[in-house]
Amino acid sequence: MTAAELIGGAHALVFDFDGTLVDSNEIKFRAFEQCFEPFPQHAEAIAVYCRNHHHTPRGEKFRHITERILGRAYTPEAEGAYHTQFEAATTRQIIEAPEIPGASRFIAEAARHRLTALLSSTPHDVLRHILERRGWQRLFREVRGAPVEKAAWLRAFRERLGLDKPSVVYFGDTEEDARAAEEASCSFVAVGPSAETARPQAIAGFHSLIPCLD
């Protein structure tokens, strides 16, 4: 089944944020590199870990890198410093980052015809702030940021609405997103030119899907 066919028959559309609606993945990857610049000997290991655990909450990444890669104690002081530095390096840039082609128009049209939700590993309050600054907060019936376990949230969302698998479509850009959709018995559409999932439902942008919402 194609992405257009999935969307045409869906009741609810759920979206990941970074890399799915906004071209912001590299902003976050660079921010992790900046947080750990004092440890250049571990730069490659840190980069590999971050890129292979894209949707792991940032606090868990900070702890893993500090304890498992650097071999240091993850103190409250270190935790606070990492979060402060990361937010300073990312929030404004993500607010200003370009959208994935057609994203805002597609969401606006979807909000008129479908139940729309946003599910992201970005901290919840930060996510709300970014949506407000981008003018997107009114486009989603529900918003859930971290801490969240995506598969569990998707499953609860689907079951609460009494919907079957074809009725809920989750848009994401990584295999982590695809697994969350599968575990929650939701349909999945991979988004973006660098989407890590090679499947018939993969799309580079949203423009072609707008007619499917009528």
Side-chain angles (χ1 to χ4, degrees):
M1 187 176 291
T2 66
E5 290 170 332
L6 285 175
I7 294 160
H11 177 79
L13 305 179
V14 185
F15 301 85
D16 171 52
F17 186 71
D18 293 297
T20 299
L21 298 179
V22 177
D23 189 8
S24 54
N25 284 338
E26 287 300 322
I27 294 171
K28 292 193 169 184
F29 290 142
R30 289 196 301 270
F32 277 108
E33 293 171 358
Q34 292 168 13
C35 286
F36 295 98
E37 275 183 342
F39 308 97
Q41 68 273 31
H42 298 290
E44 183 176 356
I46 291 169
V48 169
Y49 169 75
C50 289
R51 291 174 184 271
N52 287 334
H53 296 81
H54 180 54
H55 289 298
T56 299
R58 65 185 65 167
E60 293 182 25
K61 287 181 184 175
F62 292 145
R63 179 180 293 278
H64 178 95
I65 293 168
T66 302
E67 295 181 343
R68 301 295 183 86
I69 298 178
L70 304 184
R72 292 169 170 259
Y74 189 60
T75 65
E77 293 76 17
E79 179 181 32
Y82 288 142
H83 278 285
T84 298
Q85 184 174 353
F86 190 90
E87 289 187 21
T90 58
T91 301
R92 180 181 59 80
Q93 290 89 330
I94 292 172
I95 290 169
E96 298 173 355
E99 65 178 55
I100 298 301
S104 58
R105 184 182 171 197
F106 179 78
I107 304 166
E109 288 296 318
R112 296 173 54 220
H113 301 279
R114 307 286 195 278
L115 191 160
T116 55
L118 186 67
L119 175 62
S120 172
S121 55
T122 297
H124 189 76
D125 291 343
V126 176
L127 181 64
R128 285 283 193 182
H129 173 68
I130 291 171
L131 292 178
E132 182 179 357
R133 291 292 302 275
R134 291 189 73 106
W136 286 7
Q137 71 274 22
R138 62 180 178 83
L139 300 180
F140 301 100
R141 187 87 58 87
E142 297 189 32
V143 174
R144 181 65 257 174
V148 66
E149 202 282 297
K150 286 189 172 183
W153 190 94
L154 281 169
R155 186 182 305 108
F157 174 82
R158 180 181 58 77
E159 292 176 350
R160 170 162 48 85
L161 295 172
L163 300 175
D164 57 12
K165 178 175 181 176
S167 297
V168 180
V169 177
Y170 184 43
F171 295 81
D173 66 315
T174 67
E175 280 292 348
E176 292 170 283
D177 289 327
R179 286 194 297 271
E182 182 177 3
E183 292 173 16
S185 296
C186 297
S187 299
F188 181 70
V189 172
V191 180
S194 60
E196 296 173 11
T197 48
R199 56 186 73 223
Q201 297 83 8
I203 60 172
F206 290 91
H207 289 301
S208 65
L209 299 181
I210 294 172
C212 306
L213 296 169
D214 294 333

